[in-house]
Amino acid sequence: HVIDGGHLSKSIACFEHNGARTRPASAQRRDEIEASIGWFYRLSLIMRKRRFDTGALSLHSVRLSFELDDAGQPVACQPYAIKDSNRLIEEFMLLANMSVAARIEASFPDSALLRRHAPPLERRLEDVCRQLAHTGIVIDTQSAGTISDSIRRISDADTRYTVEEMLTQPMQRAAYFSTHAIEDRAEYRHYALNAPLYTHFTSPIRRYADVIVHRLLEASLAVHGNHVTAEHALLPPYYSPFFPRTNATGSLTTAIHDSQSILVPAPELLAIMAHQCNLRKDAAKKAQDASSKLFLVNYLAATALRTGAPGVITQAIVTKVGENGISFVTPMFGVDGIIYMDRIADRKNQVVSADGREWKLHLWSVKQASVTLVWTATPDPKDQLASKLSALVIDDTRHAVVGFQHNGAVETVTQTYRIFNKISVCIIPETNPPDLTVKLVMPGV
């Protein structure tokens, strides 16, 4: 709110200190806080521009945000919106992480816990770029920065979103490591950030890796003082390894001569810690994804129950055309998957009818990143699923209900799908166990 030119609300707890006393902030103090926020925001814009100008890459996938009722059940769902305040905090967190990484690596070159991000898987990246080339989009894969520049040249928001989703597939996960375990310092690099040194320092209340890094930093300050070296060979000039001078002598909690032995793990032990942190990080990511999926299933199931329809129809975007199927992603719910052509052709109930007719897939062919489907449709007044689904189509922004009409005529329909084409899919929730089934909707909405 302050970033947008507003003011701090008087209801916000805001205090100032006067010796040992704490009291509500005065109007003048609030003005000072607002001015500071403005300065930090403007600095963050400069820092962010500099990061991307020097080769950083950021790929965003859909993260869902849920509104819960008093019983803890989801009653609304929408993609999480990243705000300017999020970006402000992000820039200073990244700067802190990079600076601390430089500090502990300079102090303890064989016992620093850092975080690296390897380049994308080459064959998968080539496959994505080949698919995009058929649409006229060329991705320069020379570096993270050239990929970022290629994405920024895409003017259409939906296309840019889809390209980012496609490019996340070949990317590898970042990982913690001990500098003792990797001999080549060039492999310390974080690919997406285009940073030679990086670690996790800013969240010790929720990550054990950050606790270790805090201990390493404390030992560094105790053993080497406030300054390690005039320059650090692996960092550009604006990521300084210097720390402000303080009146503290040595460690705040540990005598100088004990700091290194107490706070710095042995190199072999640190490598084991890094491995364990990676295992826990991956497990936490899987738990987070499973939790989001569970809430989405419950939300869609409650929506379907309320409307009497077994599923929710929404829009999806084609992200890949393969020999056997169409890959897609739904911008509204972040659900992705593959619709297999042979399953549609050979099995019943693989296509949801939106107009009361029975749709059958007879032929399909794939050529130059496009798939052509030939359908026949016959009237089917007994199709109860279609009649129910005809009452439920979720609008992309307001969850509005839209109806269908049909005349029951027999017809043959030929469709061609390419990357970036929009298709209609029906997401059907299954609560036991929690899962989502996605089916193609015919005719498209």
Side-chain angles (χ1 to χ4, degrees), residues 121-140:
L121 300 172
E122 190 171 341
R123 290 183 61 182
R124 291 188 184 180
L125 183 60
E126 289 175 353
D127 181 54
V128 170
C129 292
R130 187 164 48 249
Q131 291 266 337
L132 290 173
H134 288 294
T135 70
I137 294 178
V138 177
I139 303 295
D140 185 347

Side-chain angles (χ1 to χ4, degrees), residues 91-143:
E91 291 307 317
F92 287 97
M93 289 177 64
L94 291 174
L95 183 60
N97 288 337
M98 293 176 187
S99 298
V100 171
R103 172 73 194 221
I104 62 175
E105 196 275 340
S107 293
F108 313 114
D110 291 328
S111 300
L113 180 66
L114 303 181
R115 188 164 175 81
R116 65 188 293 265
H117 182 211
L121 300 172
E122 190 171 341
R123 290 183 61 182
R124 291 188 184 180
L125 183 60
E126 289 175 353
D127 181 54
V128 170
C129 292
R130 187 164 48 249
Q131 291 266 337
L132 290 173
H134 288 294
T135 70
I137 294 178
V138 177
I139 303 295
D140 185 347
T141 61
Q142 184 176 354
S143 67

Side-chain angles (χ1 to χ4, degrees), residues 405-424:
Q405 292 182 351
H406 65 89
N407 55 21
V410 179
E411 63 176 304
T412 299
V413 175
T414 300
Q415 294 178 319
T416 300
Y417 291 135
R418 298 178 177 85
I419 296 175
F420 306 133
N421 283 170
K422 296 176 181 179
I423 61 176
S424 297

Side-chain angles (χ1 to χ4, degrees), residues 218-226 246-256 259:
E218 184 178 7
S220 173
L221 292 172
V223 174
H224 297 113
N226 294 97
T246 68
N247 295 325
T249 303
S251 171
L252 300 180
T253 59
T254 312
I256 291 179
S259 292

